[in-house]
């Protein structure tokens, strides 16, 4: 498993390589971004709490942050 992919590639290609190295099969649906609302539209009523801890994105692997949350 080569996690250095995340420091050399954009997030999506690195993630695909990561899962490939782990031999985790994925049935890809699309590479186009979408919203959480769209993904969760059929199951949203089952969710009681959401905890936003952070994001795994290119900035995280570059040790930079584009997010600043206030309580």
């Amino acid at each position: 498993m080569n996690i250095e992919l995340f420091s050399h590639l954009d997030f999506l290609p690195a993630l695909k390589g990561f899962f490939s190295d782990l031999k985790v099969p994925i049935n890809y649906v699309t590479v186009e971004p979408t919203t959480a609302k769209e993904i969760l539209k059929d199951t949203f009523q089952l969710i009681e709490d959401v905890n936003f801890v952070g994001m795994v994105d290119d900035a995280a692997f570059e040790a930079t942050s584009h997010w600043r949350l206030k309580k």
Side-chain angles (χ1 to χ4, degrees):
M1 170 177 47
N2 181 7
I3 61 171
E4 289 185 14
L5 292 173
F6 291 96
S7 65
H8 302 335
L9 299 174
D10 287 335
F11 183 67
L12 186 58
L15 192 60
K16 287 181 175 183
F18 177 74
F19 285 124
S20 176
D21 287 352
L22 289 175
K23 308 263 188 283
V24 174
I26 297 177
N27 292 322
Y28 293 102
V29 176
T30 182
V31 296
E32 297 298 318
T34 189
T35 65
K37 186 175 183 178
E38 179 63 27
I39 291 171
L40 300 172
K41 67 183 176 186
D42 295 329
T43 57
F44 192 72
Q45 66 273 11
L46 301 175
I47 298 172
E48 292 180 19
D49 295 315
V50 175
N51 295 295
F52 184 79
V53 176
M55 290 186 60
V56 178
D57 59 5
D58 292 335
F61 290 95
E62 295 166 359
T64 60
S65 177
H66 295 121
W67 291 89
R68 295 286 181 243
L69 296 178
K70 296 178 182 178
K71 189 170 183 178

